[in-house]
Amino acid sequence: MRLAYRGAPFHGWQCQPGEVTVQSVIEAALSTIMRTDMKIVGAGRTDTGVNARMMVAHFDVTEPLAEPGQLVRKLNALVGKDIAIEEIYEVGTESHARFDATSRTYHYYAVTSKSPFFYPLSWKAPAGLDFDKMNEAAALLLETSDFTSFAKLHTDAKTNICRVTKARWEQVGPDAWVFVITADRFLRNMVRAVVGTLVEVGRGKMSVDRFAEVIAKKDRCAAGTSMPGHALYLWDVTYPEGTRRSSDA
């Protein structure tokens, strides 16, 4: 299942007791349509308020779906305006939306001028941010493997090792920037902590050398404040070639 959602109305992706989450809404709709208790597994666990341009999830059925497109339409009628189910397709019986993903890309959007249109889905950056210095610091992330300094404390993560292959601020308009970061995996709250620390560099409150020291310390308290979730998007998820079964297979 390929889908997108606006994160503001939800308490994150993952099901939590007493909370409305993206996963719980889709599972309820899918269970209603399939007339049995259905569970889905997502490619990641976005936090409260975080958006997804592209999320992938898998679910199991005992028989192939005769009309996946019809299921898409039925789900979209039930999940509400803030979730869009875009496609449902068949994969191998052992395929796993989370464990099989080879990379994930997040975008964090910032605007440098006030806008009545962009504020719900982007961060209003202060004037004078030095994006060149921020990119100089961001380049150090490609040389890093241990991201403990940017990891939320007291989680169930077994390791804080990640492989980042891209981390860069790109200008996408006269007053608009986006931080693009791609890695094989992400830790909880990692992107927002990275962006918050880079912003300290951009404001001149932290040098690039100090940013390197923050990484080396492996201490979350040394890094900057986490950024608001409303400007963050899970942008893309990739899988090995052949994961998706062709229609004539």
Side-chain angles (χ1 to χ4, degrees):
M1 178 188 297
R2 181 169 55 84
L3 64 141
Y5 53 85
R6 188 173 68 92
F10 304 105
H11 201 78
W13 165 267
Q14 190 176 16
C15 287
Q16 299 178 52
E19 301 289 353
V20 178
T21 69
V22 180
Q23 183 182 16
S24 66
V25 169
I26 297 173
E27 286 184 348
L30 192 58
S31 297
T32 297
I33 295 167
M34 304 296 284
R35 298 182 182 180
T36 187
D37 187 36
M38 297 292 294
K39 301 297 181 184
I40 63 174
V41 177
R45 302 173 183 177
T46 55
D47 292 335
T48 299
V50 175
N51 312 290
R53 168 197 176 254
M54 177 184 176
M55 170 64 88
V56 178
H58 80 256
F59 61 97
D60 296 324
V61 291
T62 56
E63 298 291 338
L65 298 175
E67 296 184 53
Q70 184 178 34
L71 180 56
V72 169
R73 291 188 291 273
K74 289 181 177 180
L75 281 171
N76 278 325
L78 294 178
V79 295
K81 62 183 180 180
D82 296 300
I83 299 174
I85 310 301
E86 297 178 342
E87 187 180 15
I88 292 175
Y89 51 91
E90 185 180 1
V91 295
T93 56
E94 301 300 318
S95 293
H96 196 285
R98 181 181 176 190
F99 298 140
D100 289 353
T102 54
S103 75
R104 298 160 177 85
T105 297
Y106 279 88
H107 284 191
Y108 197 92
Y109 281 88
V111 291
T112 55
S113 61
K114 184 178 180 180
S115 167
F117 306 109
F118 295 150
Y119 77 88
L121 295 169
S122 60
W123 173 65
K124 172 59 176 66
L129 275 185
D130 189 336
F131 286 95
D132 289 336
K133 281 292 183 186
M134 291 161 73
N135 275 335
E136 189 178 340
L140 298 175
L141 300 173
L142 278 65
E143 304 169 5
T144 303
S145 58
D146 192 322
F147 283 82
T148 300
S149 290
F150 306 109
K152 189 177 180 68
L153 300 174
H154 312 304
T155 69
D156 58 359
K158 295 180 175 60
T159 175
N160 291 336
I161 302 300
C162 306
R163 184 174 62 90
V164 173
T165 54
K166 181 174 183 176
R168 182 171 181 80
W169 287 93
E170 299 175 355
Q171 189 165 12
V172 291
D175 302 307
W177 292 77
V178 58
F179 179 64
V180 181
I181 182 166
T182 301
D184 59 343
R185 63 190 293 265
F186 286 92
L187 307 171
R188 187 174 178 187
N189 205 234
M190 174 176 155
V191 180
R192 288 192 286 156
V194 165
V195 174
T197 312
L198 290 174
V199 166
E200 292 293 288
V201 175
R203 284 173 164 164
K205 295 184 177 181
M206 180 184 294
S207 67
V208 174
D209 288 342
R210 174 60 181 160
F211 186 85
E213 291 174 5
V214 167
I215 295 173
K217 278 191 173 185
K218 302 177 184 178
D219 179 2
R220 178 65 187 91
C221 295
T225 303
S226 290
M227 298 294 285
H230 70 276
L232 180 61
Y233 300 72
L234 174 57
W235 197 258
D236 193 20
V237 186
T238 62
Y239 292 90
E241 186 177 351
T243 298
R244 177 176 179 146
R245 286 187 173 178
S246 62
S247 59
D248 57 352

